[in-house]
Every structure is written in C-alpha cells, then in structure tokens.
Amino acid sequence: SQSLRFLPSHEGVPATGCFAEEMREMREQPIDPQAEQEIINSIQEVYYSNDSFDMVQHELEKLPPELNLQELEEYRDKLKRQQAAELERVTSLQTNLQLAAVICTNARRQLSISKEDFTEASLGLLANQRRRHLLTGLLKSLRTIKTLSGSYLRFLFLVCVSVLTFKHYSCISELNSKLQDTLEQIEEQLDVALSKTCKHFDVSHYTRVQLAYTLLEKTQTAMDQLHMHFTQAIHNTVFQVVLGYVELCAGNADTKFQKMQYKDLCTHITQDSYVPCLSDLCKALWEVMLSYHRTMQWHEEQDKEEAPPTTGMHEAAVDHSYVKKKLEHGLTRIWQEVQLKVKAYLLGTDMSNFKYDDFIVVLDVISRLMQVGEEFCGSKSELLQESIKRQSVNYFKNYHRTRLEELRMFLENETWELCPVKSNFNIAQLHEFKFMGQSRSPSVSPSRQVLSSQDQVLSSQDQEVLSLFQHFSQEGNPFERHIDNKDEETEDVLASNGYESDELEKCVYQDYDSDSDVPDELKQDYVDEQTGDVPLKSASRETLRSRKKSDYSLNKGSNAPILTNTTLNVIRLVGKYIQMMNILKPIAFDVIHCVSQLFDYYLYAVYTFFGRNDMYESSGPGLISSRLRTTLNRIQESLIQMSLGEGSASVHGGPGEDRKEKVPSPHLSQLVVLTASETLYGLAQRVVATESLVFLAEQFEFLQSHLDTMMPAAKKPFLQQFYSQTVSTASELRKPIYWVVAAKALDYEQMLLLMAGVKWDIREIMSQHNVYVDVLLKEFEEFNKRLGDVSRHVRVPLPVSNVLWEHCIRLANRTLVEGYGNVKKCSNEGRALMQLDFQQFLMKLEKLTDMRPIPDKDFVETYIKAYYLTENDMEQFIKNHREYSMKQLANLVNVCLGSHINKKARQKLLAAIDDIDRPKR
C-alpha cells in the first residue's frame, strides 16, 4: 500500500475518468519484465519513506520557477509509467497472498481431519508396524543364530564359554554384557507372568511360563519364586479387602489407612461391615488357595503324562522331586499364612455385642474356612480354633448373661397361660432346630450341607464324596452362599383359635371312651421326615384310651403339649445355643453348661413360684426327695443371687466373678392369683407351669444323644450328672406343687372337729356310718367338680390328676388316723364303727376315682387293727411302724391297751415310743 502513496487519488486528488482510462490502458499494454523492473528501480526512495510523507507537496516543490508544458507532460508520463509498474507488482502480490491464504485454510482443515481420524491407537498401529518391521529383521538374525548353534540357549551357553575364552576381545565382552541384560529382562518378565497365576490360575498361561523356565533350566528357581509370590498375594489380597471396607466406612479421602499395618487396619472395621468384609476376605483367600491347589494338580498331571527323556534323566528326576517336595511343604506354609491373616482380623474387633445372627454367620464362615484348611493340607487350624474360641467364649458369656436376664424378665411377667400349639408339635419344627434335620452327624460341618444351588442336583452321596476344591474348582465359591441363606419358611406350630381344625373341635365332645378324637398323628409314633427320629415317646392306643377315661381333657386342643410362651422362648434359646455349639465344637462344654443353667433357672422359678410353701412343705410326707432337694440347693448356691437376708452366702458376699454370673431370684407376677378356692388355688396356672417344665425336660431328653456327641470326653460326666440329677427331677416337682392345692382343697380341720364329736365308747354294734364320712365324701365330690371346671381351660394330664387325687386321699386318710388318734375313750364296738366308717368311705371314694389301689389304705386299716394287739405285739408294732406319730402311737397304748394291761407295761411301751428316733415321713 505504501507503494501507491504517490498516486494522486490516495492524496485526496480524485482521478478523472480519462486518467483512469489511461492507467488501465497502460496496465494492459505488454511490458517487458526487465524494463518494468528498471521503471520500478527508477522510483525515488523518498516515496517509500513513511506514512506521513506528502507526495503532492513534494512534487510541487520540485517544479522549476519557469514551467514548460512539454517537460511537465514528459515528467507526468514518467510518473504514470512508474505508478502502473508498481500497481502491477502490488496486484500480483495480492493475488499470491490470497492463494497462500486458501492453501493455509485447506491445510488446517486437512490437519484437523487427520487429528480426528488418526487417533493415538492408529498412530500406535503405525508405530507397531514400524516396530514389527524392525523385529522382522531381528527375527531373521535370531533364526540365523539358531541355525548356527542348534538352539538359542545352547548359543548363549557357547557364547558364555566363548566369553570366558575370548574375554580379552572387547567385542566379545560387549556381547556378553548385552546377553546378560537380555536374560535378566526375560527372567523379570517371566517372574511377573508367574505372579499372575497366584490369584487366577490359567492352565495355558501357566504351561507357557513353566516351559520358559524349563528352557532356561531354572525350574527350581521358579518354585522358590512361586511360593514367595503366593505369600505376597495373600498379604496384598487381605490388605486391599480390609482397606476397601475401612475407607468406605470412614467416608473420607484420608490416606492414613494405606500406611497402616494390616493388624492395625483390622481394628478399624465397623460392626456393620464386619460380616461382609469377613466373607469377602475368605472369598479372596479361597481364590489364592484354589490357585495353589490347581498348581499342584498341574504338576501331578505333568508327572504322570510326561516321562523324563533318556538324556538328562537324572536332572529331570531331581527337578520333579524338588518341585513335589516344595509344593507339599508350601501347603502348610500357605495355610499358616492364611490363618495368621484371618486371626488378626478376628481378634481386631470385640464381637461381644454382635447380633446373634451375625455371630452365627461368623462362626459358620470360620467353620467353613477350617474345613477348607483340612481339605487343603489336613490342618486342624489351631490358630483359627484358638482365635474363634476366645471370641466365642467372650461373646457367649455376654450373650448368655443377657439371655438369663431376659429369662428372668419373661418369668416375672409370665401369667402361666397355655400357649396353643398343635397336637403334633415338636421342637424339630422350629427354625432354631432346622440344622439338626440337615445333618444327623455332628462331625459334619453345617457348611458341608449348605452348598450352592446346583449341589442339590447331586445325590447326598456325591456331596459327601466331592471336596470343596473339587466342587468349586472351575466356578463358584464356598463362601458365597451363606450370607443370603436365610430360611424364609414360616413355622406352622400354633393351633388356630385353640383348635387344630373344626373336626377336632367337634371330636373333643364326642364319646369319652372313644379315641376317635385323637388325631392320626398321635395314633402312631411321630417321625420327623427330615431326621428319621422319634423325638418323643408316643403313647399307644390303649394308653390314649385309658387317658381319655382318666384325664380331665375336655378342653380345646386336648392332646396338645402343655407349654407357655416362656417355655417356647427357652426351647428356641436352647436351639440357638446348640446351633452355636454345633458350628464351634471347642466351646461345646461352655455352651452345654449355659444350656443347663437355662433349665436350672426355669426349674427353680417353677418351684419358687408354686412349690415352696414352708407351712405345707414341712407337713408333707416325703414330698421333696433328697435328690430334688440337693438339686434345688445346688441351683440356689451356683446360680441364684440371693438378696440380703435370704441366705448366709449373701452376707459374706463372694468372688466378684461368681456374683456376676448369678441371677436374682425371680418373683411371681402379681397377675397370678393362687389363693382363690373356686380356681382350686390357681390349679390351672400350676398345671401349665409344672407340665411345661416336664415338657421342657422331655425335649432335653430328646436332645441328650446329640449333646453327648458334642461334649468333650473329659466333660461327659457333667452332662450325665445334669440329666440324672436335674432333668429327671422335673416330674418330681409335681408332688410339692400339687400338695399345696391338695392341702387347701378339702376342709380337713372340719373333719377333725366332726370326728371329735363322735362317741366311740359305745356298747353295741352300729349299722350306720357316721356323718363325718358323708361330709368328707361331699368334699371329694366338690373337689372333683372343680377339677373338671379347671380342665375346661387347661388339660389336666393323667399324672397330674393322679398326684392330686393321691395327695387328697393321703391327707384325708391321715386326717382319719389323726382323728382316731385323738379319741379319749374307745370300746371294741367303737373300733368296729371306725372300720365301718372307713369301709364306707372307701366304697364311695372308688366311684369317684380310678386310682387303684387307694393310697394309704393300709395306713388307716393298720392303725385301726392295732387296737386289738396284745402287749408284746404292740411293742413290735411300735418298732416296725415309724410312719405314725408319737402321739398316735401313745394313744394306742393309753386308750386301747390301757384297759387290759397294767401301768408298768404301759410305761414300758411309752418309754419305747420316746426312745425311737422317728424321722417324719
């Protein structure tokens, strides 16, 4: 543009039309390039000086004082030529610039397209193609070397020998250095490839790696490296699994966890993430162990299939032997490393407050892991057993303590109402005892029975034959199924509205002598379909028929077991305890000891609530056996925390640990009323409480064989003693509990008053019995009626009704003897009247009860007949019949014999009575 500044049009001087035409004509005329260049060169430099240069002013100043038109026109033509030449140059330059701009734009567009189409991968392909071209040349060289030497490794060997021989040649030394670097790189890459087999074993991959090591003649080195890699794989695996859960629960990007030791990292696992983390931990370790197992299988198959070649047979045999021993020794090392890692995880968290279901999962996972260890290397997993035992004892003590406190709460809030269950109810139907149906052999871990879904296609025999490593060799994981293995079946043990069916409701009121109302399940032994066992002793048809005659069972669900909600809770709890023991045998004794405490506390509560009554207990003839009394004393001393004033032990206190394990004595709920005569002093509640205890004892009897197989040999006497001295005494509580009812059910004091008003020194034989007999029989009729009323709400089993009738009859007979013993004067006719009264009582009583013989019948008859004894016979009678009180014996001597023996003889007999130590019956 500067080159055009001399034009008049650029300086504001408009170019006329003629001027423009002239300029166009001049440009259109052909100009010699050389001439044109000379014209351009003739332009003065001042025209190119700067932008502010005023060309018009400059030309005007150059004009001479005297103007010549011809010279001016020539000079003007010269300027026009210069302008035309310069304008031609500018136009050409402008055209070139435009072309250049177009070229740049196209180039940029093509470059952009290249950038989009040719990615890094495409360029990588080009690079690989280039590398391939180079490697092709290298391959030709290597093939040439191979042809010359016979084998690459042989060549290396020869080269190494040559290096030693010709090391003074610099080229040989350099060749040796390069070959050594190449070998090191090859070994490094092989080592990386070998390490990859530790987590995911691939046959083809491992085969190639082993072939490479064989070619390098470093098979033994490969085995040493392999074990190091497995150990490292275990460490890296467990660390990454635990680290992932810790960081996830921490919820921040803090990197401090990555720098922690594994043992410290385990202490940061939260309770909610503990179980899933343990499961993932075992899954990951299983993969490592499975890889090792498959590695061993590969070598075993190679030993079978590939016989060593003739040449080098000795070296090959040495390699095979070394590999075999190394792998076998590595089994124990690998499993020890697994145990150490899991032990650190187990002991890193206090599990004492875990939920029961979570802890059971932990036990089952560890049990399964120990099973893996046993199949992996025959290990008994002492480290795992010790760790889980420590946690289990800690957990179980805390769990059991809480359960005992809950049991006390249940018992203190229990109103002893009947829990309506079906007549064929059995504990095997409860969820807590399902595991017993899965395996009848406690030696088989539950994890063996619960495998993946495809296992169920196999027969049970096949499942026993297949090991975990065989079953999950190709796919699956023995630790995958458990967490989701929730039993969603619903229990069907409760009777509907107290009845099992409408038919049963109708049958209840059918003919008393018919057994048509007995469900079919009770007419035959109840056999659990899963276990094949007969859990309870079933009654025969004859027993059931006789029971229908004697049982007060005209009530809803007449044949159903008698139990309460608390009983059901205790049974469920026992199931949980046994399930825990079944999974973890090392704490079997601790669990069984706690199971016995559950039964002890229930028995003690039932006795305390319904059987302990000092007024009647002391008067009962042998109600509590020495065995039962010993059991109750043992429970009180070992389990019951006595409050101040209840026992001497509480005054002195005792070891803190002992007090911690004890439970306060339970108290009967205020809602339970035991003083109303119209309810026979809470007989319904007493029946439910006592018979639920008997039912609980029956379930314990059913479980005895299973518990015995779980109990360590050294502790078996404890279990046997528990059953012989505690469980078997449950039914013995019926006597003291129902004695309290029998002692209040009849008005025995009224009988004594009526008998005291009878005149016994009569002189003629009477044909009519005394009124007190009718009154006593009426009392029995009323008792029978009330017993029937109670049975409409709660079934009164035959053993219970027998105990009640026995107690009442015994008390009535003792009242009769006591009344006869209070007689001041009695004649022979009076003694005959006593016999008449008693025979009348027996005859009417036998119509009210099926009991045969009548209890204590001989007790009354023997006493009446003693009135006829001589002096010598009476002395022997006193020695032989210590069941009578001193007062009753003295009455025989004073009243009956006093009329026909002298005073000295009477004194002798009374002295014999005083000398006899008479423990009350």
Side-chain angles (χ1 to χ4, degrees), residues 547 550-553 555 558 560-562 687-688 690-692 694 734 738 787 791 794-805:
R547 180 178 297 177
S550 303
D551 266 21
Y552 290 84
S553 56
N555 60 306
S558 60
I562 297 176
V687 168
V688 171
T690 311
E691 300 315 302
S692 67
V694 173
R734 286 170 172 158
Y738 297 131
L787 199 55
S791 71
V794 176
R795 175 170 61 90
V796 180
L798 180 61
V800 175
S801 62
N802 284 345
V803 169
L804 282 167
W805 276 101

Side-chain angles (χ1 to χ4, degrees), residues 748-772:
Y748 304 102
E749 293 297 326
Q750 180 190 14
M751 296 306 306
L752 289 176
L753 292 175
L754 291 174
M755 292 179 72
V758 176
K759 184 177 178 60
W760 299 103
D761 55 346
I762 55 176
R763 295 303 176 185
E764 59 182 26
I765 300 296
M766 303 296 292
S767 61
Q768 181 64 32
H769 59 272
N770 282 301
V771 176
Y772 75 87

Side-chain angles (χ1 to χ4, degrees), residues 478-493:
F479 299 96
E480 285 177 349
R481 179 176 171 81
H482 183 87
I483 304 301
D484 300 324
N485 182 33
K486 299 296 183 182
D487 188 357
E488 297 182 355
E489 295 181 10
T490 56
E491 294 176 341
D492 186 21
V493 297

Side-chain angles (χ1 to χ4, degrees), residues 902-916:
N902 56 37
K903 185 176 181 182
K904 182 178 180 181
R906 186 166 64 251
Q907 292 298 330
K908 179 184 176 183
L909 290 173
L910 292 174
I913 294 173
D914 292 334
D915 291 341
I916 296 175

Side-chain angles (χ1 to χ4, degrees), residues 307-354:
T310 307
T311 58
M313 183 181 295
H314 178 69
E315 291 79 1
V318 171
D319 281 347
H320 282 296
S321 176
Y322 182 85
V323 169
K324 183 177 180 181
K325 290 180 179 178
K326 191 76 175 178
L327 286 171
E328 290 176 351
H329 179 67
L331 282 171
T332 306
R333 288 179 53 193
I334 295 296
W335 178 241
Q336 192 74 0
E337 192 69 24
V338 169
Q339 285 193 88
L340 287 171
K341 298 302 182 185
V342 178
K343 176 184 177 181
Y345 183 83
L346 287 175
L347 300 182
T349 301
D350 180 11
M351 290 187 274
S352 59
N353 294 314
F354 271 35

Side-chain angles (χ1 to χ4, degrees), residues 97-339:
L97 287 175
Q98 289 176 347
L99 179 61
V102 171
I103 292 172
C104 288
T105 301
N106 291 336
R108 287 178 179 175
R109 184 171 65 254
Q110 294 299 328
L111 188 61
S112 176
I113 294 172
S114 298
K115 187 176 181 180
E116 292 177 1
D117 293 345
F118 295 95
T119 59
E120 292 182 2
S122 301
L123 296 175
L125 291 174
L126 295 174
N128 288 337
Q129 178 64 24
R130 182 173 176 273
R131 191 179 296 111
R132 178 184 176 187
H133 180 72
L134 295 174
L135 289 175
T136 302
L138 177 61
L139 182 61
K140 291 180 180 179
S141 301
L142 290 176
R143 283 176 177 170
T144 303
I145 294 172
K146 183 177 180 181
T147 303
L148 293 173
S149 62
S151 72
Y152 176 64
L153 292 178
R154 180 66 178 168
F155 168 73
L156 291 178
F157 176 74
L158 292 174
V159 169
C160 291
V161 173
S162 300
V163 166
L164 295 175
T165 306
F166 306 105
K167 60 183 179 181
H168 53 282
Y169 295 110
S170 59
C171 62
I172 296 296
S173 178
E174 292 176 2
L175 177 61
N176 176 57
S177 176
K178 291 181 179 180
L179 288 174
Q180 289 297 332
D181 292 342
T182 303
L183 281 173
E184 289 177 4
Q185 292 177 7
I186 291 173
E187 290 182 9
E188 288 177 4
Q189 293 300 319
L190 277 177
D191 195 50
V192 173
L194 185 65
S195 66
K196 292 180 180 179
T197 66
C198 296
K199 289 187 178 179
H200 303 287
F201 183 86
D202 181 78
V203 175
S204 59
H205 176 81
Y206 188 74
T207 303
R208 290 195 300 272
V209 171
Q210 283 297 325
L211 178 60
Y213 275 110
T214 303
L215 293 173
L216 290 173
E217 296 182 356
K218 291 195 174 184
T219 303
Q220 295 187 12
T221 304
M223 283 298 102
D224 296 337
Q225 290 294 105
L226 183 65
H227 284 82
M228 182 193 72
H229 287 313
F230 268 104
T231 303
Q232 189 65 33
I234 290 172
H235 175 76
N236 293 342
T237 297
V238 297
F239 187 85
Q240 290 302 321
V241 170
V242 176
L243 177 64
Y245 276 91
V246 170
E247 289 183 337
L248 181 65
C249 296
N252 54 42
D254 195 348
T255 59
K256 67 177 182 179
F257 297 118
Q258 299 176 1
K259 301 174 183 178
M260 283 187 177
Q261 294 292 324
Y262 170 74
K263 187 176 181 181
D264 298 328
L265 193 64
C266 291
T267 61
H268 289 79
I269 290 289
T270 62
Q271 182 171 329
D272 292 337
S273 62
Y274 188 90
V275 171
C277 181
L278 175 63
S279 179
D280 286 348
L281 201 65
C282 290
K283 288 178 186 177
L285 289 171
W286 163 261
E287 294 295 338
V288 176
M289 287 185 287
L290 178 62
S291 294
Y292 194 90
H293 180 79
R294 296 186 65 190
T295 301
M296 289 192 68
Q297 283 185 325
W298 186 91
H299 283 280
E300 289 173 1
E301 291 172 0
Q302 290 297 310
D303 290 347
K304 294 176 182 178
E305 295 176 3
E306 297 181 4
T310 307
T311 58
M313 183 181 295
H314 178 69
E315 291 79 1
V318 171
D319 281 347
H320 282 296
S321 176
Y322 182 85
V323 169
K324 183 177 180 181
K325 290 180 179 178
K326 191 76 175 178
L327 286 171
E328 290 176 351
H329 179 67
L331 282 171
T332 306
R333 288 179 53 193
I334 295 296
W335 178 241
Q336 192 74 0
E337 192 69 24
V338 169
Q339 285 193 88

Side-chain angles (χ1 to χ4, degrees), residues 582-602:
N582 212 41
I583 296 174
L584 193 64
K585 299 176 183 64
I587 65 166
F589 172 71
D590 303 88
V591 175
I592 290 179
H593 177 68
C594 293
V595 167
S596 70
Q597 287 187 338
L598 295 176
F599 187 85
D600 286 348
Y601 197 69
Y602 195 93

